[in-house]
Amino acid sequence: YRVEHRPLLLMARSNPLDSVMGLAGGRLAIADRAALLVIAALQGLAAQGLRAGRDFRLVEFPTFNAAAHALQQGEVQLAVGSPVTMRQTPPAILRDLVVFQTLPRVPSQVWLVAPPLRAQAPRLQAALLKFAPGSADADRLFEVTGNVAIDAIGADALRGLDAMADEAKALMLVRP
C-alpha cells in the first residue's frame, strides 16, 4: 500500500517542547514497541542523540488513542503516531495535539509470498497492483484506511527495512 505512513512525534499543545532535547529525562508514549513505526521513530531520535532507556523512558500503551490521551493529560512529553493513527483519533483528543517532528516514511505493509507459491508471485503481484483507486472496493478501502494506492516495493525500501526487521524480530522473541 502507498500511504502517508511516517512516524510523527506529537506533543500536547499545552506542553510544547522547544527542541527534541526537551525529551531528555522525560517520557515517550508508544503503542507497540515492536511496531516498525515505533522502531523508526526511536532510530530517528537516536540519530538526534537521544536513546530510549538512557535519555528518556518509553511508556507503552495498549493503543495509540491511549498514548495520545496520556500526552493530552501531561503524563508524557511526546508520543509516537502517524498520519493514519491521527485519522483514527477522537477530535476531542486530536485538537490538543501538535506535530512536533515528522520522521522519514516507513513502508506500511509488505506482502511476502510463501515459498510454495513462489512460481505464482508475478501473477499475485499483478493482481494486487490492479487493485487501484477508481474501483468501488479500492476506494472504500482507501477511504477507511488512509491508503492511497498499492505499489510494488523497491530494493532500496526493502534494504531500509532490514535493520528495523532485525530489531522487531529480537523484540518479539523476548516478549511473553
Side-chain angles (χ1 to χ4, degrees), residues 45-117:
L45 285 167
Q48 297 175 72
L50 291 171
R51 294 202 181 277
R54 181 189 76 189
D55 300 309
F56 61 90
R57 197 170 120 216
L58 289 178
V59 183
E60 191 165 359
F61 291 88
T63 65
F64 171 74
N65 283 342
H69 181 70
L71 180 60
Q72 180 190 41
Q73 296 302 309
E75 297 169 20
V76 296
Q77 284 67 46
L78 293 174
V80 175
S82 74
V84 172
T85 59
M86 290 182 70
R87 283 175 54 107
Q88 301 163 353
T89 303
I93 294 175
L94 191 58
R95 73 172 174 253
D96 294 333
L97 305 183
V98 177
V99 174
F100 173 73
Q101 192 175 88
T102 300
L103 298 164
R105 184 178 181 269
V106 175
S108 59
Q109 291 182 348
V110 177
W111 291 339
L112 303 174
V113 176
L117 299 176

Side-chain angles (χ1 to χ4, degrees), residues 123-164:
R123 187 175 59 80
L124 293 169
Q125 182 181 31
L128 287 169
L129 293 174
K130 285 182 185 173
F131 192 73
S135 74
D137 289 337
D139 288 347
R140 198 166 31 256
L141 173 70
F142 297 154
E143 178 183 338
V144 170
T145 63
N147 297 329
V148 294
I150 297 176
D151 292 326
I153 189 166
D156 287 343
L158 286 173
R159 277 190 295 278
L161 287 172
D162 286 344
M164 287 186 275

